[in-house]
Amino acid sequence: YSDRVFFILQECYEVSPDSETLHVLCSLLIKGNRTDENSFYWYSLGVDEELRILQLYEYYMMSLPEDYEGEIPRTVLMYFSGHSGLDYKKSAMLYAYVCQKREEHPEYYVMFYNQIENFVREQIHKGRINKHLACLYKDILSPAVLDEDLARELIPLLFTQVIHIENREICRVIVRYFVSREEYSYPVSEGRAWVPLYSRDYKILLEDSEENRYTVSVPYRIETLLRPEKWVSLISCYVKRHPGLDLYLCENGKDFV
């Protein structure tokens, strides 16, 4: 891979767009393992032109921006039906797109359903959650899918909130519940911590690498991914003892009578 060659090819394509130059551009970016947003632009053009390039669709998905709200071409969807081969984050983006387009393209949803259901089970077993997985859990999980093991593993994911922190000196989020003397520590990565919050009565402390702690002087934002109240009655049928769930039920039990 060469930035200089890429720049020359880019200039040539902008002066005179043609499939051959685009083919070389996309191939060069793939050779350089480029998955940035600028590369996504070129992969998108390659997909639209239906260029036959090894791993073009994989690199299209790997470079897909996290906040992408456009259409994913049918050729890409068909390519990944039956298998993914992507990492779990990009697979979740792909499957979440299929679920979100369920009304508009029910044929995709039917085609992907078993694939998505197996993926959802695997991600719950691995304790994973993000906004795209949350979308899948809301869409796929039902009494027919749940069992005791899956229900127990799902509990911390249902209560997980994303703590967004702009201060890059913060490396840990500490949670204290008022009913307990214990502290629970969660790592911060790229300005985010994934924290299960089982009660409304808690205190959040932010800790830096020197173990200094902050309460109000360092701002943070909490993002809710799932609404546990929609699932608690069902989960409680499978799981009789879980400290976090017990705390939630103790605080909210009257709502589930």
Side-chain angles (χ1 to χ4, degrees), residues 237-255:
C237 296
Y238 293 99
V239 181
K240 300 305 179 184
R241 288 186 176 276
H242 182 283
L245 181 61
D246 292 345
L247 177 59
Y248 179 85
L249 289 173
C250 182
E251 189 174 281
N252 300 274
K254 62 181 181 297
D255 297 330

Side-chain angles (χ1 to χ4, degrees), residues 171-196:
C171 59
R172 277 178 295 277
V173 171
I174 310 297
V175 176
R176 290 178 183 166
Y177 293 107
F178 295 146
V179 298
S180 171
R181 295 181 179 179
E182 290 187 60
E183 291 186 348
Y184 302 88
S185 177
Y186 305 92
V188 175
S189 175
E190 298 180 350
R192 294 180 293 184
W194 307 82
V195 179

Side-chain angles (χ1 to χ4, degrees), residues 36-152:
D36 53 90
E37 193 166 334
N38 182 57
S39 299
F40 175 71
Y41 168 77
W42 294 104
Y43 298 141
S44 297
L45 292 179
V47 169
D48 291 343
E49 289 287 328
E50 299 186 358
L51 299 181
R52 297 176 64 86
I53 302 174
L54 187 65
Q55 294 189 303
L56 175 60
Y57 295 151
E58 283 86 350
Y59 275 84
Y60 172 92
M61 284 302 304
M62 287 191 290
S63 61
L64 189 74
E66 188 174 343
D67 58 353
Y68 182 72
E69 295 182 354
E71 297 291 321
I72 296 178
R74 182 178 184 276
T75 52
V76 175
L77 295 173
M78 295 301 294
Y79 179 81
F80 287 109
S81 64
H83 78 288
S84 169
L86 302 167
D87 69 24
Y88 83 90
K89 291 181 181 179
K90 293 302 183 181
S91 292
M93 288 181 68
L94 177 69
Y95 297 150
Y97 175 86
V98 171
C99 291
Q100 290 162 2
K101 296 293 182 178
R102 181 178 181 177
E103 298 290 329
E104 188 177 343
H105 295 291
E107 70 277 14
Y108 296 150
Y109 187 80
V110 171
M111 180 172 60
F112 275 92
Y113 183 82
N114 290 337
Q115 191 173 336
I116 296 174
E117 183 180 316
N118 291 334
F119 176 77
V120 162
R121 290 178 182 274
E122 180 184 356
Q123 301 314 304
I124 292 174
H125 286 317
K126 292 183 176 181
R128 290 171 172 165
I129 182 75
N130 61 30
K131 69 177 183 179
H132 296 112
L133 287 171
C135 172
L136 296 177
Y137 297 164
K138 285 186 284 189
D139 190 274
I140 297 295
L141 291 176
S142 68
V145 174
L146 281 177
D147 56 32
E148 183 175 348
D149 290 339
L150 202 64
R152 181 171 292 278

